[in-house]
Amino acid sequence: TGEPAQYAPSIDHQNPKVRDDVNGYIRYMMEEVGFRALRFDFVKGYSPHFQRDYVRAAGSPFAVAENWNGDPNGLHQYVRECQGAMAVYDFPVYYTLKGAVHSNNFEALNEGGRPCGIMGRDPARSVTFIDNHDTYQLAIVGGAFGNNDQVLRAYAYILTHPGTPCVFHYDYVRAPYVREKLLQLCGIRRDAGIHSTSQINICASNWGLYAAIIGNKVAMKMGTNDWSPGNGWKFACGGSEFAVWIRG
């Protein structure tokens, strides 16, 4: 009921025995092993309604789909076909953010006053990331996101913005100062109560500067140009070409 995968055998999800086995495996992973969320790999391989039913049979935990699609319209349609049961890895944000950080041009991060990608359309179902086990080594997407400073700039974006951000383990262990900054950014998000549907005001998105205020509690900028949120804010974290403030 979907695209074939040359690296794996085809499984017929129309077969009731297959569906029972999948549901049983998910129950085991959640009830016995202790997982609390689900990740569905290569969801293009079978119909979305099966994926929706598997999530619902498990009690509707948080579930994210790897639907490798850089077109936000295609991802948004997939979310609708799953009737909201699945979040998606926000590949449009990944591609746009990578291009913006490397070019120092942040215009594409702003789509009519809202963020790009699923983050700007359905942030509760946007799972943002900087790299994963595929992207960091595949030449077809340009390889790894960038150097340590470029990676931190990008994390300063996703860890302060709507959506549900992921930290790639390789990035967490790539250097002590990267880990330190990641922990600071995660702490800022937690302490400020920033969540997947926090409101965002994009203050600047042009060549040399991106700036935004999120939840009226956190402000961030990246790029070579200067920017400040003004009075009433306290510097909280910074690095090469990025800074984050919290309400003072």
Side-chain angles (χ1 to χ4, degrees):
T1 57
E3 297 180 11
Q6 296 180 355
Y7 50 83
S10 294
I11 298 175
D12 184 9
H13 291 267
Q14 298 174 101
N15 185 327
K17 178 65 167 62
V18 169
R19 296 199 298 275
D20 286 345
D21 286 348
V22 172
N23 285 326
Y25 177 71
I26 292 174
R27 282 197 302 272
Y28 166 76
M29 294 299 289
M30 301 195 73
E31 296 173 6
E32 300 296 328
V33 179
F35 282 92
R36 291 294 176 263
L38 303 174
R39 177 192 183 275
F40 286 71
D41 193 49
F42 191 62
V43 295
K44 293 182 178 181
Y46 59 112
S47 177
H49 77 268
F50 292 122
Q51 300 154 33
R52 174 203 65 201
D53 292 347
Y54 291 143
V55 174
R56 288 179 175 174
S60 297
F62 183 81
V64 58
E66 187 215 36
N67 187 329
W68 198 317
N69 191 340
D71 176 17
N73 294 319
L75 283 183
H76 191 57
Q77 178 59 33
Y78 168 79
V79 168
R80 294 182 62 183
E81 290 174 356
C82 291
Q83 297 179 354
M86 303 285 281
V88 290
Y89 288 110
D90 205 331
F91 280 94
V93 167
Y94 162 75
Y95 286 117
T96 305
L97 182 58
K98 187 175 184 180
V101 168
H102 279 264
S103 68
N104 198 37
N105 184 349
F106 304 97
E107 293 176 347
L109 293 177
N110 185 349
E111 295 186 351
R114 68 183 185 185
C116 65
I118 300 301
M119 183 197 291
R121 301 185 182 203
D122 192 355
R125 293 175 180 85
S126 164
V127 176
T128 52
F129 66 99
I130 303 307
D131 257 330
N132 63 30
H133 61 286
D134 289 324
T135 60
Y136 90 108
Q137 61 183 344
L138 289 180
I140 194 172
V141 293
F145 190 95
N147 61 34
N148 290 348
D149 290 333
Q150 291 167 328
V151 162
L152 280 175
R153 235 167 282 155
Y155 275 112
Y157 177 86
I158 69 169
L159 288 172
T160 59
H161 275 55
T164 301
C166 295
V167 175
F168 184 38
H169 184 260
Y170 175 83
D171 292 333
Y172 183 73
V173 300
R174 64 191 295 157
Y177 88 91
V178 174
R179 182 187 305 117
E180 178 186 358
K181 296 297 183 183
L182 289 175
L183 290 172
Q184 289 177 8
L185 290 166
C186 288
I188 290 168
R189 183 182 184 90
R190 178 197 62 219
D191 295 344
I194 300 302
H195 52 79
S196 63
T197 58
S198 290
Q199 291 186 335
I200 179 171
N201 176 25
I202 299 176
C203 304
S205 54
N206 45 51
W207 191 92
L209 177 64
Y210 175 88
I213 295 174
I214 306 93
N216 204 29
K217 298 177 180 178
V218 172
M220 69 83 62
K221 66 83 63 177
M222 60 180 169
T224 53
N225 292 347
D226 290 336
W227 182 84
S228 168
N231 295 329
W233 294 88
K234 182 172 66 173
F235 177 79
C237 180
S240 175
E241 298 176 21
F242 82 88
V244 178
W245 297 262
I246 56 175
R247 281 288 183 188

